[in-house]
Amino acid sequence: MNTALLYRLLDVDPAAGPAELLHRSRAGRHLPHLVLSSLVRDGVRMGGAARAELRRAGDRAARYARLAAGLGCCTGVRAIGSLPLADHYPDGLLRPVGTLDLVAPDEAALWQAVVRLVTDHPVEHIEVTLLGDRPHHTAVTVQWPAEDPLADPWYRVRLTTAALPGDGRAVPVRPYLVAEEPVECLLALAESHLRRPALPPAPLTVLDVAALTRSSFEPSDTAAVLAAYRLAPEAAVLLDQAAAHLPLGPLAAVRAALAPELAAEHRRRSEAAASPRGLTARHGTLLRRTVIRHTWDTARLLSPAPGTDLLLTPVADYLLTPTPATPTTRTAALDALRRWDTPC
């Protein structure tokens, strides 16, 4: 976990110097912040603009941590993925957290957290997706501008009632994530690899694996947990790819323990793929923001006409469609909402 590894992962000749390393890192939205923090650790001289960029990134990460802690205390949601992974990085090395991922114990807790975010922050975008039919899982993403919205990505918080959403086909939704914290981080990395199996690992993913090598793992127990969550193949590929760049340390034994689990999972997925039933995802087209409905614990799903599903939430109302809504369907949905507002 040093600048030399960054040079290798970004395919930059060290002779080209830190300026070229930083330039190459800008292909990834948040990776420059990690590079800048590594250069600071090395004592590389930098000017005010670079230091200000790093300061804003540090403030962003700290704000995400405070958000997660505060929402956790009042609603029971908890962070998964990027934010817990950042805790495994060495002191002084800033792991990018582009999106704060939070998992809620139920729908009521999810909407409580969304209401709090909308109340406390200048939220401009609220996206909603329902996974499955009945019962379904809910995913909500809220966004608001950063301190410098032209130079920095917007704040983005994603909340879901499904900790691990699967691939919509052979790997099902696994709503709960219960394991030791380093194992949960490994599960989150494997789950992200599930959605991009044909692509090589991103530099940040390799660095995440490097950070996890600083923790201890019980090989057989860890492999059993990965298998139970249907992620043994992704974890094996992830660790094999990372091993091309760095020593796996305690994760080498985990990779060896995964070997007996792979055939059974591949066989299970083949059998699942033969079934025509997959997980449907319906995305919400925003119809209107509303005054916050503080008395609502959950969203309400209405079907005023065949093929028209409306989702009324504590913060906004949506038309649910598997594909982008047309102007005609959107107009019909707004008419249905007005009728709901003023029933006869």
Side-chain angles (χ1 to χ4, degrees), residues 15 59 63 68 81 91 121 129 169 171 174 209 275-276 312 320 329 333:
D59 291 345
R63 187 173 188 181
D91 291 341
H121 304 281
T129 299
R169 299 182 303 278
V171 181
R174 288 126 304 150
V209 174
S275 171
L312 280 59
L320 290 176
T329 56

Side-chain angles (χ1 to χ4, degrees), residues 110-252:
L110 180 144
W111 288 115
Q112 289 168 14
V114 171
V115 166
R116 191 175 180 92
L117 287 168
V118 171
T119 302
D120 295 345
H121 304 281
V123 171
E124 294 192 16
H125 298 297
I126 310 173
E127 302 169 5
V128 176
T129 299
L130 295 190
L131 299 175
D133 295 321
R134 289 178 174 85
H136 61 253
H137 285 282
T138 304
V140 179
T141 301
V142 300
Q143 297 183 70
W144 66 90
E147 175 186 340
D148 187 336
L150 293 180
D152 299 326
W154 283 26
Y155 286 98
R156 192 167 187 263
V157 181
R158 183 167 50 221
L159 306 101
T160 180
T161 57
L164 302 173
D167 62 2
R169 299 182 303 278
V171 181
V173 170
R174 288 126 304 150
Y176 306 109
L177 192 58
V178 182
E180 292 185 356
E181 204 265 353
V183 179
E184 287 192 357
C185 288
L186 188 56
L187 284 162
L189 286 177
E191 179 77 7
S192 65
H193 197 73
L194 177 68
R195 296 188 287 274
R196 50 192 300 276
L199 298 177
L204 184 57
T205 301
V206 176
L207 290 165
D208 287 339
V209 174
L212 290 178
T213 63
R214 294 157 41 87
S215 300
S216 60
F217 293 86
E218 205 297 317
S220 60
D221 288 350
T222 302
V225 170
L226 287 162
Y229 279 96
R230 308 301 192 194
L231 289 170
E234 285 67 35
V237 171
L238 177 69
L239 294 177
D240 287 345
Q241 292 174 335
H245 302 280
L246 51 89
L248 291 180
L251 289 174

